[in-house]
Amino acid sequence: MGAHTPLTRRPFRFAPHRRPASVFASVLLVLILVGCSGGSAAPDATTATSADGGEVADGSGVTLTVSAAADLALALDELGPLFTKETGVTLLVNLGSSGQLAQQIEQGAPVDVFFSANRRYVDELVEKGIVGPGDTALYGVGRITLWTRGDSEVRVEALSDLTDPGVKRIAIANPDHAPYGRAAREALQSAGLWDALQPKIVMAENVLQALQFADSGNADVAFVARSLSVQGEGRWTLVPAELHRPIEQTLAVIGRSAHAEWGRRFADFVNGPSGRPILDSYGFVLPDASTRD
């Protein structure tokens, strides 16, 4: 394939010591979001001004470790710096599949806030006493898309197009631990195509890696999240929501966190007037919004 335009319109800050996602297995992508604007340092006063003009405690020197489903990669690339600018708190974000991240939290990983791509993994952490029942919230409903490179000769506008001989490799996140992969499998099963397409399917660790498989040419098409599709240069089409269970994306503040109050503040920020427009711009159906196309 020839040269093509970059996948995203804004820089995506992978930490330089990490391997590219196209070659990692279970290693998490790590991204540090720095919220300085125009070269200014984080606030050093005892209070800072919030987006609505109120005063909030200054979080300079505080680092929140956030484990997040990979479909949030680009949204967090915007949300993180805004939160840092408002509070002084730095975010260290681990991206991966929700199931693997939940397992790491259960095993004691030092995580403050967990953003899961579905409710199930958060509910399980509540049942095990790792998360308090009052420290969870739905932050959006996700949608899956069929994504191809902008310069690809492959045209996929419906699930039935995946049976075309020109489609040789189809990337999906592993449905055993990735909610978007599970939704992709359910959609293909509902359409009666799962078994027939098995020889073409290439498993990725998470939805971001599935996208990178297609973007690099290692797959012809990928099932990805709308949140990773809307800001890119590829071609994509929505998979009908009725073909799979709702992708109820749910966050949780981890009970053992040493920065639980800041974790709750970040959760409120994401679900508040500053965060909701950003989530909406990436195609998430907001919790109290009506279902849309």
Side-chain angles (χ1 to χ4, degrees), residues 36-242:
C36 298
S37 176
S40 60
D44 57 4
T46 56
T47 62
T49 302
S50 68
D52 61 6
E55 286 190 345
V56 296
D58 177 36
S60 297
V62 174
T63 297
L64 280 182
T65 299
V66 178
S67 284
D71 69 294
L72 279 173
L74 300 180
L76 283 173
D77 200 31
E78 289 195 38
L79 290 164
L82 289 177
F83 184 70
T84 302
K85 183 178 180 180
E86 181 173 301
T87 65
V89 174
T90 299
L91 301 184
L92 176 63
V93 180
N94 302 311
L95 299 172
S97 67
S98 298
Q100 290 179 331
L101 294 173
Q103 184 179 47
Q104 291 170 357
I105 292 169
E106 185 178 346
Q107 292 172 348
V111 174
D112 300 300
V113 185
F114 175 39
F115 285 84
S116 175
N118 72 0
R119 185 187 299 272
R120 167 191 160 193
Y121 293 118
V122 169
D123 287 345
E124 290 176 353
L125 292 177
V126 172
E127 292 171 2
K128 294 171 182 176
I130 297 170
V131 171
D135 278 333
T136 72
L138 178 72
Y139 62 88
V141 177
R143 295 290 305 275
I144 53 174
T145 70
L146 290 168
W147 190 96
T148 58
R149 278 171 47 145
D151 63 353
S152 173
E153 296 180 359
V154 172
R155 294 292 187 269
V156 177
E157 297 180 355
L159 291 176
S160 57
D161 293 335
L162 297 175
T163 63
D164 189 283
V167 178
K168 301 184 184 305
R169 294 178 300 276
I170 304 165
I172 74 167
N174 191 325
D176 290 340
H177 51 72
Y180 276 88
R182 187 174 299 119
R185 180 175 63 187
E186 290 174 359
L188 289 173
Q189 288 172 332
S190 296
L193 297 172
W194 175 252
D195 292 336
L197 292 176
Q198 285 302 299
K200 297 184 177 186
I201 289 177
V202 178
M203 291 291 181
E205 284 298 304
N206 55 60
V207 71
L208 180 58
Q209 191 183 44
L211 174 59
Q212 290 168 330
F213 280 174
D215 186 50
S216 66
N218 290 313
D220 301 299
V221 60
F223 282 90
V224 303
R226 177 160 62 175
S227 59
L228 296 175
S229 304
V230 295
Q231 300 290 341
E233 302 296 338
R235 293 191 302 267
W236 57 276
T237 185
L238 277 173
V239 174
E242 61 268 20

